[in-house]
Structures are given as structure tokens and as C-alpha cells.
Amino acid sequence: MQFLLSALSMVSVSLLQGLASDTPEQLLGKMTLEEKIGQMNLYASEWDLTGPPPTEGSNADKYEHIRTGKVGGVLNVTGADAARRMQQLAVEGSRLGIPLLFGYDVIHGYRTSFPIPLGESSSWNLELMEQTARISAIEATAAGINWVYSPMIDTFRDPRWGRVMEGSGEDPFLTSKIAAAKVRGYQGTDLSRPDTLAACAKHFAGYGFPVAGRDYNTTILDGRTLHNIILPPFKAAVDAGVRSVMNSFNLIDGIPATAHAGLQRDLLKGKWKFDGFVVSDWASIAEIAVHGAASDLRQAAQRAILAGSDMDMESFAYVTHLAGLVEEGLVSEAWIDDAVLRILRVKTELGLFDDPYRYIDATREREALLRPAHLDLALDAAIQSIVLLKNATNLLPLDKDAGKIALIGALADDKDSPLGNWRGMAIENSAVSVVEGFRNLGVDFTWTKGVKLAMNPGKMADLVNVNTTDRSGFEEAIRLARESEVVVMVLGELGHQTGEGRSRADIGLPGLQQELLEAVHAVNPNIVLVLMNGRPLIIPWAAENVPAILTAWHGGSRAGDAIARVIFGLENPSGKLTMSWPGSIGQIPVYYNHDRTGRPDANPSVFWSHYNDESNEPLYPFGHGLSYTSFGYSELQVTPSGPRTIDVAVRVSNLGQRSGTEVVQLYLTDPVAQAVRPVKELKGFARVTLAPGASTVQRFRLTKSDLGYFLPDGSFTFEPGEFILTVGPTGTLSQQVSVSD
Ligand code: GLC
């Protein structure tokens, strides 16, 4: 066997050397139809199921298919040794020896865990978010990964949807900037470098708008929302050079995105000139039939390839049916060629034909993961992700020496939940807990869980039996609280209570946490509530009764240190919400860039747009976040500086006693338009760090692409006239200006 393998390797190396000098077109010319279709076939390893177990055709011998050139890539293979074995099978076993892609969901880190994207986006720090993607790529490529299913750039408005943890919030402008930063971070400037990899913009498109926030539910999208809210981040990712796009499970106007030629061929590959490849989401090709848009897997395969889905993840549709469809003249081989060229082009750019083992280096894997510098960045990212929601009595920051401190909460000692969902290859229970963070600062405190969040926390939310009966820890918690000056409570969600397949209808504090909070408050109202969460949580009682509240999200490997440093004032929080925080479930969806409606204004009658029992406004709005200092805005200047151009300048001052970072936000209002525009839209932002008493002038320039918008049919328009510019954390200064064509 050894002789055979070494003989094979000689043959394949020479073949590969031949291939390495081939252009994708030349290589395509050497391929049989079956080999071409093989490149369009993407299997998951058995390491990690990230979708429902496959059905029809899934009894395929995946290793035999790899050895015979019927596989173009494998996902969820982690570790250099495993990847090497699989790559050898493809390169040395198959006729042409075309190397595999190795894909993985690196969403917020590979081994070093950064805050979940919804948390990290609250930093509004593009350089930071590019850097965390860069580090994620350095670690993932050391372990054999050359393709990540990231960034997830869906916009969304419903925190019942479990996957809000995975994205960057409700705003298309901010998400677009983050999308480009992430693509740059993952792909670098040279895709052939061993520490860069192909990124994948997902999920194209509209997955973030499931009706009622129920994952995989249908969507009801109008053209305005699709073209102005959902698609811009994908265009930004394409403009940033993203090499792959993953389609989505949902319908658009009754057509599954995976079968939507208008979306994938006409817009993405046509108008936007995207020259990478489209990969289906897990079994989304097979699900074309489940949706009822095809009669069987064969017809689903036909619709998918005709609509521009180039690679089939775990549907077994292409490998089973494409050859027959071509032979029967139902699918032109030209579509196959187009798909295969796109895939080969990315493999060439990755340098896989020069060296298929370039990304597989066990030595580098041992050295590159969890480097101290990576963990330092994780701390920085966690700190900048924290959003101070309320600090009514300036209870925060705490003084370590100002009396007895009690730390209470189900998540206070949790070393796993901060890793969140989609945690990649982070080691279970490896995060710094809040208890450890307090200890690392030398804080003198007592602590108790007070309540278990779940009876037997498991990896999948459906295995988490939320504790609704065991109050045995309450007494100790109440005793500690009674004896202390101040109580820090760490409550929220387990790491796997958000994420894919984790939509919740009730997004209050799970289990008995609210009851514990009120019981503690009854004996000591001096509470700092630290939320550890993957989504905005419904906390009206806390918002009313608790003096200080911050969200630390699922903050990653160094979460506990970040929380401790912010609570005790070593760091000044600067995070701002990127998703509106509802006051009640009944408000959902509530979002900042909403329409004015025809009856926006309160009047003595009931005939205006409102609830009789709830505010129209979220509990905490998009862009909200407090600081331990305060900032002032003055000297706003809004100047039309040419056709379709506006220059804005505003002075930002630190009015407080300590340094701080403010996220200056610029919003545009177009009060009259052919298709009405939202009450305001984010069109610029900047992080400014100021010493006490210092100030700076922040400048913005808006041009036609900022002032115009997409009509429901997707055509872009600019309408000269009056515009209103507003600046500030959530709009403090405004000025109207007239702009010519
Ligand atoms: C999942 C997700 C997608 C992920 C893929 C592979 O179903 O929808 O985001 O990249 O399958 O794990």
C-alpha cells in the first residue's frame, strides 16, 4: 500500500505540477463532465453537523467520492492532520488531483474567541473588526481551513430570531462597512498567502427577515426593503472582493433564494459582476423541493444551477442528477463550465495548485492558536463591545474598596457561555468568567450563583432544560446581597440559547433569573446588572428598577476581564447598540430607520399610529450607549458643496472628568421622495477619543450614493431638494439643507 501511495504521489505531483501551470480554462478543458460536477459538490465531514442530517443520496461513500474526484470541498474538517489526510486522498487519489477547499464557520474566531458579531459591531470600530478577522484567518489557516463561511451580513429587526447574534444589526450602512472590513481581514491583499483565506458573504439574501423571528420561516419582503436594507452589505462585500457568496434558505417573492436567477445571475453575477462562486447553504438546493418550488431533487438541481448556485452543500443534488440533466439537454454544459471555472479560479487564487498543503501545517497550528497577542485583542474587542445601557445614579464605575461587593448570577462563573454560539474551535469552558475577572483585578468580593439557569446545559438549545423550579440558591444570594454595599448580578442567556435554530418566542431573562433579580433587589436595590446575551432581552422591570445596566453580550475568551475592567473603571465603555432594544415583545419589529407613516403625531384622538399600552419607541434605541464621561455637540455646519454633495462639520467635546471615546453618528433625512424614505438613515460615523475638556471637529462628506436610494424595482435614484442632517449619539443637532442635481 505504501509503495502504491508513494507511486501515486509521484504521478500526482507531476500531474499537479502540470495543473499548476494551467489556467482554470485550460484545466477545465481536461475535465470530464463527472469531474466538473465533482468540483460543484461540497460535503460535510462527520466532525460537526451544522445542519439537518442529509437525506437522499447521503449514504454516499464520501471518502470514495473524494478519491475519485467527485468532491470539490469539505466543510467542518478541523485540524491540520485531518485536513492533510483528506487532501492527500483528493490530490493523490483522483485522476487530476484537484485540491479540495476546506470550509468552516469561523464567525467570531477560530480558537481565540472574540465577541459574537452583534457584540463586536457595538464597538463601531472597523479597524478592530478587520483585525479580529485577520487573527481568525491566521488561526484557521494554521489548522487547514482555506475558506470561511463568514461574514454573516444579513440585516435584521427581530431579536426573537436566534441568528441576530451572528450579524451586525439592523443598519445597512454600518453592516456594509463591517462587511468590507471583514472581507479585508479574512482575505488580506494576497489570497495565496498561507495565512489568508477565502471569505463568504452570507446569506444571500433576506434570511434575516423571517416572519415572527422564527428561523427558516418565510419572509415577506418589499422591493424597498430588499434593495435599501438587505442587499447593500452584499454589494459592499462584492466590491471588497469577497470570493464566495452563500445563498439563503428563504423565499423571495415565492422563489427560494437558491433558485432565484434574478438575484444570483442577473444581479450578483450580472449587474454587480461578481466573479467568485455561489455556494448553497446546507441542503438549500434540496429544500427547493421542500418549499414546493420543484417536484423532486432532480428538478431542484436543475432550478439551482440555472439560477446560478455553483456549489451544492450537502444536498447530494448535483452529484446525483446534474450529469443526467446535461445528457438529456435540460441543462447546458455551459452552466456547469461557468460554475466550475468560478470554483477553480478561487482555488488558483488560494495557491492550492501550487501547493495543496499550503494551509496544512501542524507545527504552525500548534504555534498560531491562542497567541498572547490574540488574547489581548480578544480583551480589547470585548471591552469595546460592552454597551452601558443605564447608569442613572452614576453607580458605575464601582470603587474596588468601597465596601462589600456581592457577585451573584447564573452566569457569574460561567466559562463557556461567553464563547457564544458559532464558537468555531474554541475550547469548551475556556473563557475568563466574571468571577475570574474580578479575582484578576484583586477585587475583594463574595459570590454565589443564586440560581442555575439550566438543569443540564447541553450544546444544543433544545437540550437545555431551563430551570424553572430549583430555587435552592436564592437564600444564599439574598443573604449575600443583604450584607453587601453593592451587588453585581450577571444574568442572561447560555451560549447556545442563541444562534441558528435558537429562535425564542419569549426573550425575557430565561428561567428564574428575573425572580432572583427581584428577590435580591428587595433586600439591596444597589444593583449593577451585567447582561451576558446573544440578543436584546426584554427587561422592562430591570430598566425601571435597577440603577446600572450594561450588556457584555457573549464576549469571547476574555469576557470576564473586560467586564471587570469596565465595572471598576479601568476602562470607559464606548459601545453603541447596532440593534434597537425593544421594551416589550409586542413592539417587535421596532427599528430606528422606520417609515414616518401617515399618522405619526400624537393627538387627543386615538387616530394616530401608536399602541394604547406601550410606547412606539424601543427601550434603548439604535446608536445608544453611555460613557463614564459626557460629550457635547456644537457648531454644526451643513454646507451644500457641489452638485449632489453635502459637507458636514460638527464640534464634539468631552464635558466630563475622564477620557472617553464617542461614536459620532451622522443621520440623513429625506423628507419628501417618490418612494418615501425612513425618518432617518445612518450615513456616517466616527469614533473620537477625547481627554477631559478636549474637543475636535468631526467632518463628513455625503455624495450622490449617500443621498440617493433604490426604488422598489432596484433602480437607483437621486432626487434633488431638501435634506436634513442630524448628528449625535442618537440625534442631538440638526440642520436642513437644499441640494441641487
Ligand atoms: C448552516 C448555516 C450556514 C453555515 C452552514 C455550514 O446551516 O445556515 O450559515 O455556514 O450551514 O455550517
Side-chain angles (χ1 to χ4, degrees):
M1 182 57 174
Q2 193 51 40
F3 167 74
L4 179 62
L5 267 182
S6 56
L8 268 177
S9 64
M10 299 299 287
V11 168
S12 63
V13 166
S14 61
L15 252 181
L16 202 53
Q17 279 157 357
L19 301 188
S21 58
D22 280 351
T23 64
E25 289 74 8
Q26 289 166 330
L27 176 50
L28 183 76
K30 297 175 179 174
M31 297 169 76
T32 65
L33 176 61
E34 188 177 69
E35 287 167 335
K36 293 176 184 176
I37 292 168
Q39 288 303 301
M40 302 163 70
N41 189 28
L42 174 64
Y43 283 151
S45 76
E46 59 272 16
W47 269 258
D48 190 0
L49 269 190
T50 48
T55 50
E56 182 184 339
S58 64
N59 56 353
D61 179 341
K62 293 183 174 180
Y63 290 98
E64 183 56 18
H65 279 193
I66 290 170
R67 200 187 60 75
T68 54
K70 292 182 177 172
V71 182
V74 186
L75 67 137
N76 298 345
V77 174
T78 49
D81 293 340
R84 177 173 292 279
R85 284 196 302 276
M86 212 162 273
Q87 192 68 297
Q88 267 173 329
L89 207 51
V91 168
E92 299 172 15
S94 67
R95 183 179 79 88
L96 289 173
I98 298 175
L100 296 167
L101 289 171
F102 287 99
Y104 194 51
D105 292 283
V106 180
I107 306 299
H108 53 103
Y110 178 77
R111 178 63 49 83
T112 300
S113 182
F114 299 107
I116 55 169
L118 185 61
E120 191 185 61
S121 67
S122 307
S123 71
W124 296 58
N125 186 336
L126 299 177
E127 293 71 30
L128 171 78
M129 290 186 263
E130 180 173 339
Q131 190 53 18
T132 58
R134 181 90 296 277
I135 299 304
S136 301
I138 287 170
E139 292 196 353
T141 51
I145 302 298
N146 50 42
W147 179 32
V148 291
Y149 303 130
S150 187
M152 187 274 217
I153 51 177
D154 301 306
T155 43
F156 40 76
R157 295 166 167 170
D158 192 330
R160 292 171 295 181
W161 189 46
R163 300 193 76 162
V164 300
M165 54 76 57
E166 201 177 337
S168 297
E170 68 197 43
D171 181 71
F173 180 87
L174 176 61
T175 303
S176 296
K177 298 295 185 188
I178 294 172
K182 288 294 181 185
V183 169
R184 289 194 300 269
Y186 287 129
Q187 297 187 168
T189 53
D190 175 0
L191 211 48
S192 69
R193 281 170 49 112
D195 66 355
T196 60
L197 40 62
C200 182
K202 72 184 186 182
H203 305 81
F204 192 63
Y207 181 26
F209 282 72
V211 168
R214 194 178 79 229
D215 208 353
Y216 318 121
N217 199 4
T218 195
T219 56
I220 301 173
L221 302 172
D222 65 339
R224 282 197 316 154
T225 305
L226 182 62
H227 291 287
N228 291 291
I229 305 295
I230 292 170
L231 291 176
F234 290 93
K235 180 64 166 56
V238 169
D239 290 348
V242 74
R243 301 312 292 136
S244 68
V245 168
M246 182 183 292
N247 58 37
S248 56
F249 296 121
N250 56 285
L251 300 177
I252 293 174
D253 289 334
I255 301 171
T258 309
H260 203 295
L263 196 68
Q264 297 186 144
R265 283 213 183 281
D266 302 343
L267 180 65
L268 177 65
K269 296 178 175 179
K271 188 175 179 184
W272 291 357
K273 297 185 175 38
F274 172 63
D275 69 349
F277 65 91
V278 175
V279 61
S280 81
D281 200 342
W282 186 290
S284 69
I285 293 179
E287 290 171 12
I288 293 171
V290 182
H291 275 289
S295 53
D296 56 21
L297 189 65
R298 182 172 176 278
Q299 192 182 25
Q302 180 188 26
R303 286 204 68 173
I305 185 64
L306 294 179
S309 295
D310 301 309
M311 191 180 260
D312 169 4
M313 180 194 292
E314 280 291 318
S315 286
F316 302 84
Y318 285 178
V319 71
T320 309
H321 293 294
L322 264 193
L325 288 164
V326 172
E327 278 140 24
E328 290 162 41
L330 297 171
V331 168
S332 158
E333 190 162 353
W335 290 131
I336 310 287
D337 290 351
D338 176 64
V340 176
L341 275 179
R342 290 169 178 271
I343 295 164
L344 295 179
R345 186 177 301 137
V346 175
K347 290 188 175 183
T348 303
E349 291 164 4
L350 283 166
L352 287 174
F353 289 105
D354 298 325
D355 174 6
Y357 303 101
R358 161 171 315 212
Y359 297 88
I360 300 171
D361 178 343
T363 307
R364 192 159 78 87
E365 182 180 24
R366 279 189 296 276
E367 177 280 320
L369 307 188
L370 290 175
R371 285 177 185 153
H374 298 179
L375 290 166
D376 290 346
L377 184 67
L379 173 60
D380 199 15
I383 289 166
Q384 293 191 42
S385 303
I386 289 174
V387 182
L388 180 56
L389 298 170
K390 179 183 177 184
N391 194 19
T393 58
N394 289 321
L395 178 59
L396 284 175
L398 297 183
D399 176 344
K400 280 196 296 180
D401 309 317
K404 287 190 72 173
I405 297 169
L407 176 61
I408 298 171
L411 298 168
D413 65 332
D414 192 326
K415 291 173 60 64
D416 194 67
S417 291
L419 303 173
N421 203 334
W422 289 121
R423 59 182 57 184
M425 287 301 284
I427 298 166
E428 277 191 339
N429 296 311
S430 63
V432 176
S433 69
V434 180
V435 166
E436 290 167 330
F438 275 35
R439 285 186 184 137
N440 292 342
L441 283 190
V443 179
D444 178 12
F445 68 105
T446 55
W447 78 275
T448 184
K449 283 176 84 75
V451 68
K452 282 192 300 187
L453 209 174
M455 304 311 273
N456 63 340
K459 260 200 162 192
M460 297 289 180
D462 43 4
L463 299 184
V464 171
N465 302 321
V466 175
N467 168 27
T468 56
T469 55
D470 178 2
R471 294 173 176 79
S472 56
F474 274 47
E475 189 178 338
E476 168 69 2
I478 291 165
R479 183 185 66 77
L480 277 192
R482 185 180 286 118
E483 294 168 1
S484 302
E485 303 299 316
V486 66
V487 182
V488 177
M489 294 193 77
V490 186
L491 306 173
E493 296 175 302
L494 292 171
H496 283 99
Q497 285 183 300
T498 62
E500 182 174 2
R502 276 83 168 189
S503 294
R504 289 170 57 204
D506 170 5
I507 52 174
L509 290 168
L512 298 171
Q513 298 183 97
Q514 178 64 35
E515 201 176 305
L516 176 70
L517 174 61
E518 293 182 32
V520 165
H521 183 272
V523 297
N524 188 339
N526 247 5
I527 294 174
V528 175
L529 173 58
V530 176
L531 294 172
M532 204 175 269
N533 49 306
R535 56 163 55 90
L537 297 173
I538 303 300
I539 53 165
W541 187 91
E544 182 70 29
N545 297 285
V546 172
I549 304 173
L550 62 84
T551 174
W553 310 103
H554 289 134
S557 298
R558 298 290 301 276
D561 286 327
I563 291 165
R565 296 177 68 83
V566 166
I567 283 180
F568 293 101
L570 282 76
E571 304 290 346
N572 186 357
S574 57
K576 305 286 183 189
L577 292 178
T578 60
M579 179 175 195
S580 303
W581 193 294
S584 65
I585 284 268
Q587 287 183 312
I588 295 173
V590 59
Y591 47 97
Y592 91 91
N593 47 358
H594 60 80
D595 292 337
R596 188 171 301 106
T597 78
R599 296 191 174 182
D601 302 321
N603 63 61
S605 77
V606 295
F607 307 116
W608 58 285
S609 183
H610 74 299
Y611 302 102
N612 289 321
D613 57 354
E614 177 60 275
S615 159
N616 287 0
E617 297 310 313
L619 176 61
Y620 305 117
F622 174 88
H624 170 75
L626 303 177
S627 170
Y628 293 152
T629 184
S630 60
F631 296 94
Y633 289 77
S634 59
E635 301 169 31
L636 174 62
Q637 290 176 350
V638 177
T639 316
S641 48
R644 310 176 182 182
T645 307
I646 300 176
D647 282 337
V648 181
V650 63
R651 180 171 295 283
V652 189
S653 306
N654 181 344
L655 309 176
Q657 304 306 312
R658 61 171 294 164
S659 293
T661 297
E662 170 70 325
V663 178
V664 183
Q665 301 155 45
L666 174 67
Y667 293 90
L668 174 76
T669 299
D670 181 353
V672 179
Q674 182 185 342
V676 300
R677 307 302 305 130
V679 293
K680 65 179 185 178
E681 299 172 89
L682 182 73
K683 293 295 181 182
F685 62 90
R687 298 176 84 254
V688 292
T689 299
L690 294 169
S695 74
T696 183
V697 175
Q698 184 58 47
R699 300 180 188 285
F700 301 96
R701 167 162 286 185
L702 300 186
T703 62
K704 176 184 173 186
S705 60
D706 303 304
L707 301 173
Y709 66 98
F710 291 96
L711 291 167
D713 67 1
S715 61
F716 188 79
T717 182
F718 164 76
E719 299 165 4
E722 301 301 310
F723 293 91
I724 299 166
L725 279 300
T726 303
V727 291
T730 48
T732 42
L733 284 181
S734 282
Q735 212 168 92
Q736 185 156 328
V737 67
S738 182
V739 183
S740 64
D741 199 343

